[in-house]
């Protein structure tokens, strides 16, 4: 069976130049997660950090800009 969301992403506010963490919880531990912004897949680097532990997945966005909305 595919993994489903137990807890979906919540709207989050943050200040320009800051950092924000987006979290979701899945029904299966270590299920593959692909973070996307529109049609663009996000990959780890200076701007994005991707973490996953058990059923929880996190996307950390650093140095926030208006375009990150």
């Amino acid at each position: 069976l595919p993994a489903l969301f137990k807890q979906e992403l919540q709207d989050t506010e943050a200040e320009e130049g800051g950092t924000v963490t987006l979290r979701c919880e899945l029904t299966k531990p270590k299920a593959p997660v692909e973070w996307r912004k529109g049609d663009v897949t996000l990959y780890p680097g200076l701007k994005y950090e991707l973490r996953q532990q058990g059923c929880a997945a996190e996307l950390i966005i650093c140095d926030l800009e208006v375009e990150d909305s």
Side-chain angles (χ1 to χ4, degrees):
L1 294 173
L4 303 173
F5 287 108
K6 281 176 70 174
Q7 177 185 344
E8 295 190 19
L9 291 175
Q10 302 296 314
D11 288 340
T12 305
E13 291 189 24
E15 292 189 24
E16 193 171 349
T19 299
V20 69
T21 301
L22 303 176
R23 293 180 183 89
C24 65
E25 188 175 346
L26 306 166
T27 55
K28 287 185 172 182
K30 299 185 181 179
V33 174
E34 183 178 276
W35 292 94
R36 300 175 64 86
K37 181 179 182 213
D39 293 334
V40 178
T41 301
L42 306 178
Y43 296 98
L46 295 175
K47 179 83 173 167
Y48 304 111
E49 182 179 341
L50 286 61
R51 294 183 187 166
Q52 192 165 358
Q53 184 173 3
C55 292
E58 295 182 337
L59 168 67
I60 297 105
I61 307 172
C62 302
D63 195 23
L64 289 168
E65 302 172 273
V66 174
E67 294 80 23
D68 294 319
S69 301

